[in-house]
Amino acid sequence: MTSPRPGVLLAIASAALFGASTPFAKLLLGGGVSPWLLAGLLYLGSGLGLTLVHLARGALAVPAAEAPLRRADLPWLALVVLSGGVIGPLLLMVGLTTTAASTSALLLNLEGLATMAIAWMVFRENVDRRLLLGAAAILAGAVILSWQGGPTGLGLGALAIAGACLAWGIDNNLTRKLSAADPVQIALIKGLAAGAVNLGLALALGAHMPPLTTTLAAGLIGLLGYGVSLVMFVLALRHLGAARTGAYFSTAPFIGAGLAIAMFGEPVTMQLVAACALMIVGVALHLMEAHEHPHSHEALAHEHRHVHDAHHQHEHAAGDPPGEPHSHPHRHTPLTHTHAHYPDLHHRHGHGTG
């Protein structure tokens, strides 16, 4: 039997770090830093910080329990960087220049909806009525939280922001294709690529680098709020799939708003209370999921971090690493059984209408 608990905790921790990055980034924007330049510094902080982590693991000879990125992963990784690290931020910056703040905040909640819709409709992740209601409650909470009087008109800027959310929804689902690989490698490559592009474009358009202390602060915020958060998001994808991970990650606006109250002394409003109640209901509905039916595993060969549980009863070759957990290429033989499960790495099968 697989448990969703590790994936749930990872998804919520990922949302907490990302949500917390928003009020801290607001502090830096208050110092006059260009939003586009700040986006580049946040991504670069993520990439450079995780690069140090990656190098430290090698220098300390830490056993590699994670599967490295392989050549077959590179096309997916390139699409992840392009959609989530380049197109998404570019469209967001274009939209923010012509769209009211209230409209922008409201539209940014479309990322969670895009992630879940793509996962359910394109990648055919299983969904039942309880999960739909839970996702709707979480998204409704995020919409209520960001509502500041309603949109003042939807023009090209709003369409650009909606396009950014679609790009990030595609990014989240494509990252699911890479979730068996080392999440630190995935996040550091995405951070370096996205950071270089965004920083280069901001400087080319006339932005100026902030003081060193501000630059270092942005790097630290990026490392935690973008880098470590993405590592946890990738790990959550292994356990939950993109739709459920996206639903839990949609709690980030509430987490950010709660922290803003403590940091800036903002009032506790009825909006915040209502959003909190809806998100609690949504998360509870997801935690109540009980998905169990007879299912068959086809023969499968892949590589990822694992222990020898019911789904990993394979033989080891002479060069395979000892101890558990470990990672090495392995083959699954066909298997039919019944147990509670989620759309993790080994349960991405189709479902009948019954």
Side-chain angles (χ1 to χ4, degrees):
M1 174 177 177
T2 58
S3 169
R5 186 165 299 169
V8 171
L9 294 176
L10 286 164
I12 292 178
S14 174
L17 286 173
F18 183 75
S21 71
T22 301
F24 281 105
K26 182 178 179 180
L27 287 174
L28 300 182
L29 287 173
V33 181
S34 159
W36 204 337
L37 183 73
L38 180 58
L41 292 175
L42 291 170
Y43 276 114
L44 271 183
S46 164
L48 292 174
L50 292 176
T51 297
L52 292 177
V53 171
H54 182 67
L55 293 175
R57 290 191 307 187
L60 297 174
V62 177
E66 293 287 352
L69 286 165
R70 301 295 187 185
R71 184 182 298 273
D73 297 322
L74 296 183
W76 295 112
L77 182 60
L79 290 173
V80 164
V81 171
L82 179 63
S83 59
V86 178
I87 295 176
L90 277 174
L91 288 176
L92 177 62
M93 293 303 144
V94 170
L96 288 177
T97 59
T98 59
T99 308
S102 58
T103 305
S104 301
L106 180 62
L107 288 170
L108 284 173
N109 291 304
L110 291 174
E111 179 186 349
L113 180 60
T115 299
M116 287 180 271
I118 292 169
W120 288 330
M121 293 189 291
V122 177
F123 292 99
R124 302 297 183 185
E125 286 192 10
N126 179 63
V127 59
D128 60 20
R129 186 176 302 173
R130 181 186 289 116
L131 289 175
L132 281 173
L133 289 174
I138 292 171
L139 286 171
V143 168
I144 289 174
L145 189 63
S146 62
W147 185 270
Q148 298 177 8
T152 56
L154 298 178
L156 292 178
L159 291 176
I161 294 175
C165 292
L166 177 60
W168 285 322
I170 294 171
D171 167 25
N172 293 336
N173 278 276
L174 293 179
T175 301
R176 170 185 181 266
K177 292 282 190 179
L178 302 171
S179 60
D182 185 350
V184 172
Q185 280 189 303
I186 295 170
L188 77 84
I189 292 173
K190 182 178 180 180
L192 291 175
V197 170
N198 286 288
L199 187 64
L201 289 173
L203 292 174
L205 292 174
H208 299 285
M209 289 294 293
L212 180 60
T213 53
T214 302
T215 301
L216 293 176
L220 179 59
I221 294 169
L223 172 59
L224 297 175
Y226 286 52
V228 177
S229 174
L230 178 56
V231 169
M232 291 182 171
F233 188 90
V234 173
L235 292 173
L237 286 171
R238 292 182 184 177
H239 294 274
L240 302 174
R244 290 158 181 81
T245 303
Y248 288 117
F249 192 79
S250 295
T251 60
F254 168 73
I255 295 168
L259 186 58
I261 290 173
M263 292 175 59
F264 303 113
E266 296 180 0
V268 178
T269 64
M270 287 302 298
Q271 280 179 299
L272 185 63
V273 173
C276 178
L278 282 167
M279 288 184 176
I280 289 173
V281 169
V283 171
L285 285 170
H286 277 251
L287 289 174
M288 291 166 58
E289 179 185 10
H291 182 70
E292 180 174 348
H293 62 90
H295 57 278
S296 296
H297 299 267
E298 297 181 357
L300 171 67
H302 61 175
E303 182 180 6
H304 65 95
R305 179 187 177 104
H306 64 276
V307 297
H308 288 173
D309 55 17
H311 295 93
H312 295 90
Q313 297 299 316
H314 49 259
E315 297 292 332
H316 274 189
D320 287 340
E324 296 181 21
H326 57 215
S327 175
H328 60 88
H330 57 277
R331 178 174 293 277
H332 296 267
T333 57
L335 173 67
T336 298
H337 59 178
T338 302
H339 64 95
H341 60 277
Y342 302 84
D344 58 27
L345 288 175
H346 301 96
H347 296 91
R348 291 176 177 172
H349 48 259
H351 288 80
T353 57

